[in-house]
Amino acid sequence: MKTRDFYYTLPKELIAQTPAEPRDHSRLLVLHRESRALEHRHFYDLPDYLEPGDLLVVNDSRVLPARLYGNKEGTGGHMEFLLLQQREPMVWEILVKPGKRAKPGARFSFGEGKLTGEILEVLEGGNRLCRFSCAGEFYETLEEIGKMPLPPYITEELGDRERYQTVYSKELGSAAAPTAGLHFTPELMEKLRDKGVGIETVTLHVGLGTFRPVKEEEITDHKMHTEHYVLPERTAKAIQQAKAEGHRVIAVGTTSCRTLESVASFHGEIRPCAGDTGIFLYPGYEYKVLDGLITNFHLPESTLIMLVSAFAGYDFTMEAYRVAVEEKYRFFSFGDACLIL
């Protein structure tokens, strides 16, 4: 398939700049794969579609305040760093602006010297490896001086940085939020548990490759970024039990989806494990674990709309997006959600 097959026209005003308040009052477009029917609901209606014994798998990764503003030592030149992935203790792969100032050996200071960094290496593609040092604990310092790395299409300031975290986030490490989970409230999760719906976690630390457009004409020529995942023993057992008892496994977000399908594809079964995945799901892929998917509306020509098309069917997905634009749903990270069953 061609990348252009996944293009759709999106009016700029439909790109959500602020999250819904309360979280679960976002809209929910329900896609029924078998009947190809669409329903217009709200996220707080989610329990209506789930049965006792169904299992939701959520990504508990927590977003780092990974955007740093500082100065180059010696010249005072203004710099912006974005932490992408930890490579070893205190050594991170980063994105730098402006890049020409960040040559190996260059040193930078952030938060009036609370954090310093030295460029070790320029990587293929222009990212850098940087070794950081600070007087205090690294993550505490980051919490103090770092900014939330909102996607480039969100131009408004975020008043409360917790609104770019899921209510169940726990494991620090993402450069972007697993946004399908932003719609959940503690009360909604309690309601689901009371109904007998299981909720278990995986961890996949989201990289900025999530937002990179597919530039190749043929989608199969696209090289996926890799992300680190962990599938705990408790979650593996819950999935195995749900499947054995004929219940549905529903991934909350494309990150949870990629984790489960990676494990099943790499190991031939669901089992506790950790690793890195660059799995690319597009039409023609046969899902091995998922019976349902909760996800937001994704960018045109992105790997994520391709993932959704592989699950819901290409024609049905593109029709659903056309209807969503027509009905003025809110798109992308702070936008509305889809439930695909």
Side-chain angles (χ1 to χ4, degrees), residues 12-32:
K12 191 177 177 183
E13 63 269 19
L14 296 186
I15 300 173
Q17 294 297 314
T18 54
E21 194 60 55
R23 289 174 182 256
D24 62 359
H25 278 52
S26 50
R27 295 168 74 188
L28 181 68
L29 182 61
V30 184
L31 286 69
H32 297 276

PDB file of all heavy atoms in Angstrom, residues 12-32:
ATOM      1  N   LYS A  12      -7.832  22.442  10.660  1.00  0.00           N
ATOM      2  CA  LYS A  12      -6.931  22.750  11.775  1.00  0.00           C
ATOM      3  C   LYS A  12      -7.686  22.917  13.096  1.00  0.00           C
ATOM      4  O   LYS A  12      -7.189  22.558  14.164  1.00  0.00           O
ATOM      5  CB  LYS A  12      -6.153  24.024  11.449  1.00  0.00           C
ATOM      6  CG  LYS A  12      -5.007  24.306  12.397  1.00  0.00           C
ATOM      7  CD  LYS A  12      -4.232  25.533  11.971  1.00  0.00           C
ATOM      8  CE  LYS A  12      -3.123  25.839  12.979  1.00  0.00           C
ATOM      9  NZ  LYS A  12      -2.396  27.076  12.632  1.00  0.00           N
ATOM     10  N   GLU A  13      -8.910  23.438  13.006  1.00  0.00           N
ATOM     11  CA  GLU A  13      -9.657  23.716  14.239  1.00  0.00           C
ATOM     12  C   GLU A  13     -10.095  22.443  14.972  1.00  0.00           C
ATOM     13  O   GLU A  13     -10.537  22.507  16.122  1.00  0.00           O
ATOM     14  CB  GLU A  13     -10.870  24.608  13.958  1.00  0.00           C
ATOM     15  CG  GLU A  13     -11.926  24.014  13.042  1.00  0.00           C
ATOM     16  CD  GLU A  13     -11.694  24.346  11.567  1.00  0.00           C
ATOM     17  OE1 GLU A  13     -10.558  24.724  11.203  1.00  0.00           O
ATOM     18  OE2 GLU A  13     -12.675  24.233  10.791  1.00  0.00           O
ATOM     19  N   LEU A  14      -9.968  21.280  14.329  1.00  0.00           N
ATOM     20  CA  LEU A  14     -10.335  20.024  14.991  1.00  0.00           C
ATOM     21  C   LEU A  14      -9.168  19.401  15.766  1.00  0.00           C
ATOM     22  O   LEU A  14      -9.340  18.374  16.419  1.00  0.00           O
ATOM     23  CB  LEU A  14     -10.880  19.015  13.966  1.00  0.00           C
ATOM     24  CG  LEU A  14     -12.179  19.411  13.259  1.00  0.00           C
ATOM     25  CD1 LEU A  14     -12.677  18.267  12.385  1.00  0.00           C
ATOM     26  CD2 LEU A  14     -13.256  19.820  14.256  1.00  0.00           C
ATOM     27  N   ILE A  15      -7.981  20.019  15.691  1.00  0.00           N
ATOM     28  CA  ILE A  15      -6.847  19.535  16.481  1.00  0.00           C
ATOM     29  C   ILE A  15      -6.990  20.075  17.899  1.00  0.00           C
ATOM     30  O   ILE A  15      -6.894  21.286  18.130  1.00  0.00           O
ATOM     31  CB  ILE A  15      -5.503  19.984  15.875  1.00  0.00           C
ATOM     32  CG1 ILE A  15      -5.360  19.445  14.447  1.00  0.00           C
ATOM     33  CG2 ILE A  15      -4.340  19.515  16.736  1.00  0.00           C
ATOM     34  CD1 ILE A  15      -4.142  19.960  13.707  1.00  0.00           C
ATOM     35  N   ALA A  16      -7.259  19.182  18.845  1.00  0.00           N
ATOM     36  CA  ALA A  16      -7.535  19.588  20.229  1.00  0.00           C
ATOM     37  C   ALA A  16      -6.297  20.226  20.846  1.00  0.00           C
ATOM     38  O   ALA A  16      -5.204  19.663  20.794  1.00  0.00           O
ATOM     39  CB  ALA A  16      -7.978  18.383  21.044  1.00  0.00           C
ATOM     40  N   GLN A  17      -6.478  21.392  21.445  1.00  0.00           N
ATOM     41  CA  GLN A  17      -5.382  22.105  22.103  1.00  0.00           C
ATOM     42  C   GLN A  17      -5.389  21.914  23.617  1.00  0.00           C
ATOM     43  O   GLN A  17      -4.371  22.110  24.279  1.00  0.00           O
ATOM     44  CB  GLN A  17      -5.458  23.599  21.777  1.00  0.00           C
ATOM     45  CG  GLN A  17      -5.226  23.915  20.312  1.00  0.00           C
ATOM     46  CD  GLN A  17      -3.822  23.530  19.858  1.00  0.00           C
ATOM     47  OE1 GLN A  17      -2.831  23.817  20.519  1.00  0.00           O
ATOM     48  NE2 GLN A  17      -3.728  22.858  18.712  1.00  0.00           N
ATOM     49  N   THR A  18      -6.529  21.536  24.151  1.00  0.00           N
ATOM     50  CA  THR A  18      -6.654  21.326  25.601  1.00  0.00           C
ATOM     51  C   THR A  18      -7.428  20.025  25.841  1.00  0.00           C
ATOM     52  O   THR A  18      -8.257  19.625  25.028  1.00  0.00           O
ATOM     53  CB  THR A  18      -7.413  22.488  26.271  1.00  0.00           C
ATOM     54  OG1 THR A  18      -8.677  22.662  25.609  1.00  0.00           O
ATOM     55  CG2 THR A  18      -6.627  23.780  26.189  1.00  0.00           C
ATOM     56  N   PRO A  19      -7.149  19.345  26.958  1.00  0.00           N
ATOM     57  CA  PRO A  19      -7.859  18.096  27.241  1.00  0.00           C
ATOM     58  C   PRO A  19      -9.292  18.346  27.700  1.00  0.00           C
ATOM     59  O   PRO A  19      -9.631  19.435  28.178  1.00  0.00           O
ATOM     60  CB  PRO A  19      -7.027  17.479  28.381  1.00  0.00           C
ATOM     61  CG  PRO A  19      -6.319  18.622  29.014  1.00  0.00           C
ATOM     62  CD  PRO A  19      -6.108  19.660  27.951  1.00  0.00           C
ATOM     63  N   ALA A  20     -10.133  17.327  27.533  1.00  0.00           N
ATOM     64  CA  ALA A  20     -11.525  17.407  27.989  1.00  0.00           C
ATOM     65  C   ALA A  20     -11.557  17.483  29.514  1.00  0.00           C
ATOM     66  O   ALA A  20     -10.694  16.951  30.198  1.00  0.00           O
ATOM     67  CB  ALA A  20     -12.309  16.188  27.513  1.00  0.00           C
ATOM     68  N   GLU A  21     -12.551  18.147  30.036  1.00  0.00           N
ATOM     69  CA  GLU A  21     -12.712  18.267  31.480  1.00  0.00           C
ATOM     70  C   GLU A  21     -14.173  18.000  31.840  1.00  0.00           C
ATOM     71  O   GLU A  21     -15.041  18.697  31.343  1.00  0.00           O
ATOM     72  CB  GLU A  21     -12.300  19.662  31.934  1.00  0.00           C
ATOM     73  CG  GLU A  21     -12.114  19.813  33.421  1.00  0.00           C
ATOM     74  CD  GLU A  21     -11.045  18.897  33.987  1.00  0.00           C
ATOM     75  OE1 GLU A  21      -9.906  18.919  33.522  1.00  0.00           O
ATOM     76  OE2 GLU A  21     -11.407  18.140  34.915  1.00  0.00           O
ATOM     77  N   PRO A  22     -14.486  17.003  32.680  1.00  0.00           N
ATOM     78  CA  PRO A  22     -13.578  15.987  33.210  1.00  0.00           C
ATOM     79  C   PRO A  22     -13.020  15.088  32.097  1.00  0.00           C
ATOM     80  O   PRO A  22     -13.533  15.080  30.975  1.00  0.00           O
ATOM     81  CB  PRO A  22     -14.461  15.173  34.161  1.00  0.00           C
ATOM     82  CG  PRO A  22     -15.686  15.996  34.404  1.00  0.00           C
ATOM     83  CD  PRO A  22     -15.866  16.826  33.173  1.00  0.00           C
ATOM     84  N   ARG A  23     -12.012  14.312  32.440  1.00  0.00           N
ATOM     85  CA  ARG A  23     -11.312  13.487  31.453  1.00  0.00           C
ATOM     86  C   ARG A  23     -12.265  12.598  30.660  1.00  0.00           C
ATOM     87  O   ARG A  23     -12.118  12.443  29.449  1.00  0.00           O
ATOM     88  CB  ARG A  23     -10.286  12.590  32.158  1.00  0.00           C
ATOM     89  CG  ARG A  23      -9.072  13.302  32.722  1.00  0.00           C
ATOM     90  CD  ARG A  23      -8.221  12.337  33.521  1.00  0.00           C
ATOM     91  NE  ARG A  23      -7.058  12.961  34.132  1.00  0.00           N
ATOM     92  CZ  ARG A  23      -5.811  12.851  33.697  1.00  0.00           C
ATOM     93  NH1 ARG A  23      -5.547  12.121  32.628  1.00  0.00           N
ATOM     94  NH2 ARG A  23      -4.811  13.443  34.324  1.00  0.00           N
ATOM     95  N   ASP A  24     -13.229  11.957  31.348  1.00  0.00           N
ATOM     96  CA  ASP A  24     -14.075  10.956  30.679  1.00  0.00           C
ATOM     97  C   ASP A  24     -15.265  11.562  29.947  1.00  0.00           C
ATOM     98  O   ASP A  24     -16.139  10.837  29.475  1.00  0.00           O
ATOM     99  CB  ASP A  24     -14.539   9.884  31.672  1.00  0.00           C
ATOM    100  CG  ASP A  24     -15.386  10.433  32.808  1.00  0.00           C
ATOM    101  OD1 ASP A  24     -15.605  11.662  32.856  1.00  0.00           O
ATOM    102  OD2 ASP A  24     -15.835   9.624  33.642  1.00  0.00           O
ATOM    103  N   HIS A  25     -15.286  12.911  29.824  1.00  0.00           N
ATOM    104  CA  HIS A  25     -16.362  13.550  29.056  1.00  0.00           C
ATOM    105  C   HIS A  25     -15.976  13.773  27.593  1.00  0.00           C
ATOM    106  O   HIS A  25     -16.720  14.404  26.851  1.00  0.00           O
ATOM    107  CB  HIS A  25     -16.767  14.875  29.712  1.00  0.00           C
ATOM    108  CG  HIS A  25     -17.726  14.685  30.851  1.00  0.00           C
ATOM    109  ND1 HIS A  25     -17.476  13.808  31.884  1.00  0.00           N
ATOM    110  CD2 HIS A  25     -18.940  15.244  31.115  1.00  0.00           C
ATOM    111  CE1 HIS A  25     -18.484  13.845  32.748  1.00  0.00           C
ATOM    112  NE2 HIS A  25     -19.374  14.688  32.295  1.00  0.00           N
ATOM    113  N   SER A  26     -14.831  13.263  27.188  1.00  0.00           N
ATOM    114  CA  SER A  26     -14.491  13.274  25.768  1.00  0.00           C
ATOM    115  C   SER A  26     -15.489  12.381  25.018  1.00  0.00           C
ATOM    116  O   SER A  26     -16.124  11.505  25.604  1.00  0.00           O
ATOM    117  CB  SER A  26     -13.065  12.779  25.552  1.00  0.00           C
ATOM    118  OG  SER A  26     -12.872  11.564  26.242  1.00  0.00           O
ATOM    119  N   ARG A  27     -15.603  12.606  23.720  1.00  0.00           N
ATOM    120  CA  ARG A  27     -16.518  11.793  22.920  1.00  0.00           C
ATOM    121  C   ARG A  27     -15.872  10.446  22.589  1.00  0.00           C
ATOM    122  O   ARG A  27     -14.652  10.303  22.631  1.00  0.00           O
ATOM    123  CB  ARG A  27     -16.906  12.539  21.638  1.00  0.00           C
ATOM    124  CG  ARG A  27     -17.718  13.799  21.923  1.00  0.00           C
ATOM    125  CD  ARG A  27     -17.837  14.669  20.688  1.00  0.00           C
ATOM    126  NE  ARG A  27     -18.759  14.112  19.712  1.00  0.00           N
ATOM    127  CZ  ARG A  27     -18.915  14.607  18.479  1.00  0.00           C
ATOM    128  NH1 ARG A  27     -18.169  15.614  18.072  1.00  0.00           N
ATOM    129  NH2 ARG A  27     -19.790  14.067  17.659  1.00  0.00           N
ATOM    130  N   LEU A  28     -16.726   9.478  22.271  1.00  0.00           N
ATOM    131  CA  LEU A  28     -16.254   8.130  21.962  1.00  0.00           C
ATOM    132  C   LEU A  28     -16.966   7.647  20.706  1.00  0.00           C
ATOM    133  O   LEU A  28     -18.192   7.521  20.682  1.00  0.00           O
ATOM    134  CB  LEU A  28     -16.568   7.184  23.132  1.00  0.00           C
ATOM    135  CG  LEU A  28     -16.122   5.727  22.973  1.00  0.00           C
ATOM    136  CD1 LEU A  28     -14.598   5.623  22.979  1.00  0.00           C
ATOM    137  CD2 LEU A  28     -16.705   4.862  24.091  1.00  0.00           C
ATOM    138  N   LEU A  29     -16.191   7.409  19.652  1.00  0.00           N
ATOM    139  CA  LEU A  29     -16.739   6.825  18.426  1.00  0.00           C
ATOM    140  C   LEU A  29     -16.540   5.317  18.513  1.00  0.00           C
ATOM    141  O   LEU A  29     -15.406   4.838  18.623  1.00  0.00           O
ATOM    142  CB  LEU A  29     -16.020   7.380  17.193  1.00  0.00           C
ATOM    143  CG  LEU A  29     -16.529   6.880  15.833  1.00  0.00           C
ATOM    144  CD1 LEU A  29     -17.985   7.269  15.614  1.00  0.00           C
ATOM    145  CD2 LEU A  29     -15.663   7.415  14.692  1.00  0.00           C
ATOM    146  N   VAL A  30     -17.643   4.573  18.506  1.00  0.00           N
ATOM    147  CA  VAL A  30     -17.578   3.113  18.641  1.00  0.00           C
ATOM    148  C   VAL A  30     -17.660   2.492  17.251  1.00  0.00           C
ATOM    149  O   VAL A  30     -18.601   2.756  16.490  1.00  0.00           O
ATOM    150  CB  VAL A  30     -18.720   2.589  19.535  1.00  0.00           C
ATOM    151  CG1 VAL A  30     -18.574   1.080  19.745  1.00  0.00           C
ATOM    152  CG2 VAL A  30     -18.724   3.314  20.880  1.00  0.00           C
ATOM    153  N   LEU A  31     -16.645   1.679  16.922  1.00  0.00           N
ATOM    154  CA  LEU A  31     -16.581   0.999  15.628  1.00  0.00           C
ATOM    155  C   LEU A  31     -16.839  -0.488  15.842  1.00  0.00           C
ATOM    156  O   LEU A  31     -16.092  -1.149  16.569  1.00  0.00           O
ATOM    157  CB  LEU A  31     -15.205   1.165  14.980  1.00  0.00           C
ATOM    158  CG  LEU A  31     -14.820   2.503  14.359  1.00  0.00           C
ATOM    159  CD1 LEU A  31     -14.624   3.586  15.414  1.00  0.00           C
ATOM    160  CD2 LEU A  31     -13.535   2.362  13.538  1.00  0.00           C
ATOM    161  N   HIS A  32     -17.914  -0.992  15.247  1.00  0.00           N
ATOM    162  CA  HIS A  32     -18.220  -2.422  15.311  1.00  0.00           C
ATOM    163  C   HIS A  32     -17.710  -3.064  14.021  1.00  0.00           C
ATOM    164  O   HIS A  32     -18.264  -2.849  12.939  1.00  0.00           O
ATOM    165  CB  HIS A  32     -19.734  -2.632  15.460  1.00  0.00           C
ATOM    166  CG  HIS A  32     -20.287  -2.054  16.736  1.00  0.00           C
ATOM    167  ND1 HIS A  32     -20.253  -2.725  17.934  1.00  0.00           N
ATOM    168  CD2 HIS A  32     -20.886  -0.866  16.982  1.00  0.00           C
ATOM    169  CE1 HIS A  32     -20.817  -1.984  18.879  1.00  0.00           C
ATOM    170  NE2 HIS A  32     -21.205  -0.845  18.327  1.00  0.00           N
TER     171      HIS A  32
END
